[in-house]
């Protein structure tokens, strides 16, 4: 399948592109109850509710809650070669420390830099004091297993872990995108920082288009790898995990970020109650027709498998490219 050319915002408007205001009012406010926001804004809570709903997550290794716990962590680090430290209330990748290996007394980060034990304790202390949390409130530090990403992506991401973002509406996956880190995005899969968004056919998990800085692209700028013809393994499992996030979080409109671990397969990294809208540009399709279709259903199935079947059946781009691509 050939990638389409540039689609003007005017044409996208005709395709039912969801804008920020409408997303906030008609979907986030209407379908996400405020009291459930902590389910996704607190990563520790997300982990617990996800596991309960049968959604696999990177294993929780420990929680560091106080400055005293941070200072006396030395013995608890024995034998831990690889791990990730993050603020429970962090966002945008801030405060995340990825340790890939140990070299004598030193901890080796994802980019090769080395950290002393004292520096690691200082980082924990900063997390707990709220340096990376919303509003600067005190926080807790989570230590979790390092995700070793599936080698199918090795040419496709610069340093960071590629992730799959799925928008889930009332428990139905409606649109998906692969996010790839670039040199410009500093190993993070954040689109605003220059990561690539690859639109995915929801039925089969194959790439249908790609954007960087809101512009269509065809090759990864750092590796030169083609962005056409990417096929995501374990696609149905990814859809199923995202669908189960509805039961887990009780949020009607959400973004689920999933990763593929070499050993454990699909895992949920985090949930978002206010997922971004660029996914539509990567897919060259608007969310509105899909959301309307779900809103028009007589009833919402309580079976995540059935919801996935419905989404696969109704939200494929196969056979529709002629009228969707200009
Ligand atoms: N367990 C992990 N293993 C490897 N990389 C991780 C892990 N957790 C987070 N990361 C990296 O950090 C980024 C941000 O992590 P995430 O949990 O999504 O927090 P945030 O809310 O800050 O986006 C991820 O996209 C990934 O690149
Ligand atoms: Mg994230």
């Amino acid at each position: 399948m050939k990638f389409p050319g540039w689609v003007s915002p005017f044409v996208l408007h005709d395709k039912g592109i969801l804008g920020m205001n409408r997303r906030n009012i008609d979907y986030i406010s209407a379908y996400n109850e405020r009291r459930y926001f902590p389910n996704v804004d607190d990563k520790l809570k997300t982990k617990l509710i996800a596991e309960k709903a049968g959604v696999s997550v990177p294993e929780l290794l420990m929680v560091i809650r106080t400055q005293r716990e941070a200072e006396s962590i030395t013995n608890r680090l024995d034998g831990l070669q690889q791990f990730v430290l993050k603020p429970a209330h962090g966002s945008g990748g801030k405060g995340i420390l990825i340790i890939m290996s140990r070299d004598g007394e030193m901890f080796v980060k994802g980019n090769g830099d080395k950290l002393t034990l004292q520096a690691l304790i200082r980082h924990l202390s900063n997390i707990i004091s709220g340096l990376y949390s919303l509003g600067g409130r005190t926080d807790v530090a989570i230590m979790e297993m390092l995700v070793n990403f599936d080698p199918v992506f090795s040419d496709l991401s610069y340093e960071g872990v590629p992730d799959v973002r799925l928008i889930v509406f009332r428990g139905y996956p409606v649109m998906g995108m692969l996010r790839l880190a670039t040199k410009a995005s500093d190993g993070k899969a954040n689109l605003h920082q220059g990561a690539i968004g690859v639109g995915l056919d929801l039925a089969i998990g194959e790439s249908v288009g790609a954007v960087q800085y809101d512009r269509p692209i065809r090759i990864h700028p750092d590796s030169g790898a083609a962005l056409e013809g990417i096929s995501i393994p374990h696609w149905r499992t990814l859809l199923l995990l995202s669908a189960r996030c509805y039961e887990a979080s009780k949020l009607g409109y959400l973004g689920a970020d999933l990763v593929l671990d070499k050993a454990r397969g699909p895992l949920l990294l985090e949930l978002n109650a206010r997922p971004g809208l660029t996914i539509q540009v990567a897919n060259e399709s608007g969310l509105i027709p899909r959301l309307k279709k779900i809103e028009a259903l007589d009833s919402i199935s309580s079976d995540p498998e059935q919801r996935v079947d419905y989404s696969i059946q109704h939200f494929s781009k196969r056979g529709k490219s002629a009228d969707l691509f200009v």
Side-chain angles (χ1 to χ4, degrees):
M1 196 193 318
K2 272 266 162 275
F3 273 10
W6 167 246
V7 179
S8 79
F10 178 74
V11 175
L12 289 176
H13 180 73
D14 284 349
K15 295 182 189 310
I17 293 286
L18 182 64
M20 185 97 76
N21 284 339
R22 191 151 176 204
R23 178 201 65 176
N24 293 347
I25 295 164
D26 291 355
Y27 294 99
I28 297 176
S29 298
Y31 289 98
N32 290 349
E33 284 184 51
R34 288 194 76 84
R35 63 183 166 132
Y36 296 132
F37 274 34
N39 286 347
V40 303
D41 289 341
D42 176 344
K43 289 189 169 66
L44 185 56
K45 196 154 190 189
T46 304
K47 248 186 205 313
L48 305 177
I49 58 167
E51 280 191 311
K52 231 164 129 188
V55 178
S56 316
V57 295
E59 185 190 345
L60 181 64
L61 300 175
M62 63 177 92
V63 183
I64 303 101
R65 296 178 184 279
T66 62
Q67 298 292 354
R68 186 188 293 250
E69 277 180 30
E71 280 154 25
S72 60
I73 197 167
T74 317
N75 294 338
R76 298 172 78 191
L77 296 173
D78 280 352
L80 287 174
Q81 293 294 321
Q82 296 192 315
F83 55 85
V84 174
L85 288 173
K86 58 173 84 171
H89 289 89
S91 63
K94 286 182 296 234
I96 295 185
L97 182 61
I98 296 179
I99 300 299
M100 304 287 286
S101 63
R102 289 172 73 163
D103 182 4
E105 300 283 288
M106 308 295 273
F107 296 85
V108 185
K109 294 208 296 185
N111 61 8
D113 288 355
K114 292 179 183 174
L115 229 65
T116 60
L117 175 65
Q118 276 318 309
L120 187 123
I121 291 176
R122 205 156 45 238
H123 187 79
L124 279 172
S125 171
N126 284 339
I127 291 178
I128 293 165
S129 65
L131 190 64
Y132 310 107
S133 75
L134 204 67
R137 276 183 301 164
T138 53
D139 204 353
V140 301
I142 296 174
M143 184 194 284
E144 69 182 17
M145 171 199 113
L146 175 77
V147 173
N148 282 302
F149 63 89
D150 197 304
V152 298
F153 294 134
S154 47
D155 283 348
L156 288 174
S157 198
Y158 181 83
E159 287 185 350
V161 190
D163 70 5
V164 172
R165 157 65 60 89
L166 284 156
I167 303 287
V168 183
F169 182 49
R170 305 179 84 188
Y172 293 81
V174 291
M175 202 172 271
M177 161 175 75
L178 174 69
R179 296 189 301 188
L180 302 170
T182 62
K183 217 176 217 166
S185 74
D186 190 24
K188 287 173 192 163
N190 187 317
L191 298 187
H192 299 294
Q193 290 169 332
I196 296 167
V198 181
L200 299 170
D201 185 314
L202 198 90
I204 53 177
E206 282 181 13
S207 52
V208 296
V211 285
Q212 186 186 29
Y213 300 115
D214 282 339
R215 294 237 177 75
I217 53 165
R218 286 162 199 267
I219 59 163
H220 193 293
D222 306 319
S223 67
L227 302 172
E228 279 178 76
I230 299 174
S231 179
I232 312 285
H234 306 290
W235 182 244
R236 189 181 165 95
T237 309
L238 288 163
L239 291 176
L240 187 60
L241 294 195
S242 77
R244 286 188 185 140
C245 290
Y246 175 54
E247 275 79 17
S249 68
K250 302 193 167 59
L251 292 175
Y253 187 82
L254 77 120
D257 295 345
L258 299 131
V259 288
L260 284 182
D261 183 71
K262 205 158 61 178
R264 293 192 58 209
L267 303 174
L268 175 73
L269 202 53
E270 69 161 340
L271 292 174
N272 196 318
R274 309 159 196 87
L277 297 161
T278 307
I279 191 169
Q280 302 172 107
V281 185
N283 278 277
E284 300 200 358
S285 329
L287 278 161
I288 289 174
R290 302 186 187 194
L291 300 173
K292 291 272 172 228
K293 216 172 179 93
I294 301 293
E295 283 185 309
L297 291 175
D298 290 335
S299 65
I300 295 300
S301 168
S302 60
D303 177 1
E305 296 270 7
Q306 274 182 17
R307 298 198 300 262
V308 166
D309 289 339
Y310 180 93
S311 294
I312 287 175
Q313 215 181 335
H314 291 90
F315 303 138
S316 174
K317 289 191 75 156
R318 270 226 164 130
K320 295 185 194 160
S321 29
D323 60 283
L324 278 168
F325 294 157
V326 185

